[in-house]
Amino acid sequence: MTKPKTVAVVDYGMGNLRSVSQAVQHVAKGSGFEVLVTSKAEDVMNAERVVLPGQGAIADCMRELAESGMQEAVLHAAANKPLFGVCVGMQMLLTHSEEGVPGDGGIGTKGLNLIPGEVIRFDLAGRIQPDGSRYKVPQMGWNQVYQSSPAHPVWAGVPDGAYFYFVHSFYAHPSDARHTAGEAEYGTRFTAAIARDNIFATQFHPEKSADQGLALYRNFLHWNP
């Protein structure tokens, strides 16, 4: 009997694990992949593919990733197999975030530096949206995402300009524009998806984005970078 291939959803104490794992399990039916939510570094090391979720403050996420013993396993995955980062799980892949802890004097938070760049806070105070309302931070709700050209394979079958669900106050700004896989507009044009080699990540939540979000997870299972 053939052993199923594994998709590891990293459990380091931060992230909407239930909704992410349910979405990946839904698209994995009949694919030969088994979805495993795990807090064991060994499982991540042995998995064929890895999903790194994250929500809340990036400083908390980075601390928990290190203290849980999962950081080295995630770095190993990022160097060796397809990795999908979600929300703060995407922001953690960059070099540094402006978001820190109160009283840190603006030092911010170091990321994993897998994709060079900064994570920047929306600066929209007093700005007015086209409908006359004020921009609110965090951005919460549906927004269109425009794919970079040429479109990344994980976008396969997803229309350019499709809507995805966002909840965030900070956004990624990669140092190299080639690492931007998709953009959205919220008072400014910002990077909504990043990619490099075997890494793909989104600021939005595919698991909360209906059929188009499920399509991304499905494409990720079949992506061979």
Side-chain angles (χ1 to χ4, degrees), residues 9 15-25 35 37 53 55 207:
V9 179
N16 49 329
L17 298 172
R18 180 177 170 81
S19 57
V20 170
S21 61
Q22 285 184 333
V24 180
Q25 285 170 347
V35 180
V37 177
Q55 65 181 14
E207 68 282 356

Side-chain angles (χ1 to χ4, degrees), residues 23 43 47 55 65 78 112 114-115 151 158-159 169-170 188 217 219 225:
D43 290 339
Q55 65 181 14
L65 186 67
L112 296 172
L114 293 167
I115 295 181
V158 176
S169 300
F170 295 79
T188 186
Y217 283 140
N219 290 340

Side-chain angles (χ1 to χ4, degrees), residues 20-223:
V20 170
S21 61
Q22 285 184 333
V24 180
Q25 285 170 347
H26 179 76
V27 301
K29 290 176 182 175
S31 70
F33 278 99
E34 178 183 20
V35 180
L36 180 66
V37 177
T38 182
S39 58
K40 297 179 180 178
E42 181 183 359
D43 290 339
V44 176
M45 299 283 273
N46 292 334
E48 277 76 22
R49 293 165 195 269
V50 174
V51 178
L52 178 66
Q55 65 181 14
I58 191 171
D60 295 335
C61 289
M62 289 299 302
R63 183 189 68 249
E64 292 297 324
L65 186 67
E67 292 182 355
S68 68
M70 299 295 275
Q71 182 166 315
E72 288 305 313
V74 168
L75 290 173
H76 177 268
N80 293 283
K81 63 193 75 175
L83 172 74
F84 196 132
V86 182
C87 194
V88 180
M90 165 181 156
Q91 296 179 5
M92 294 163 69
L93 302 177
L94 280 83
T95 308
H96 179 264
S97 175
E98 289 183 350
E99 183 182 15
V101 295
D104 71 358
I107 293 173
T109 302
K110 285 184 177 180
L112 296 172
N113 198 29
L114 293 167
I115 295 181
E118 292 284 319
V119 179
I120 300 169
R121 182 177 174 83
F122 280 119
D123 183 12
L124 300 172
R127 297 277 302 280
I128 305 297
Q129 300 193 68
D131 65 3
S133 64
R134 290 183 181 273
Y135 281 101
K136 295 180 180 178
V137 177
Q139 176 191 194
M140 295 181 64
W142 296 84
N143 201 350
Q144 287 181 282
V145 176
Y146 300 97
Q147 301 163 21
S148 300
S149 183
H152 192 278
V154 176
W155 292 121
V158 176
D160 191 29
Y163 282 85
F164 293 90
Y165 190 81
F166 290 82
V167 181
H168 65 127
S169 300
F170 295 79
Y171 61 91
H173 182 71
S175 300
D176 189 334
R178 291 176 296 180
H179 294 151
T180 294
E183 294 182 305
E185 191 93 31
Y186 191 68
T188 186
R189 191 88 164 181
F190 70 91
T191 295
I194 58 177
R196 197 200 80 189
D197 302 328
N198 54 298
I199 297 171
F200 185 87
T202 63
Q203 179 60 66
F204 55 83
H205 291 273
E207 68 282 356
K208 297 179 181 179
S209 298
D211 289 348
Q212 305 299 356
L214 291 175
L216 291 186
Y217 283 140
R218 185 178 296 109
N219 290 340
F220 173 68
L221 294 185
H222 300 286
W223 174 40

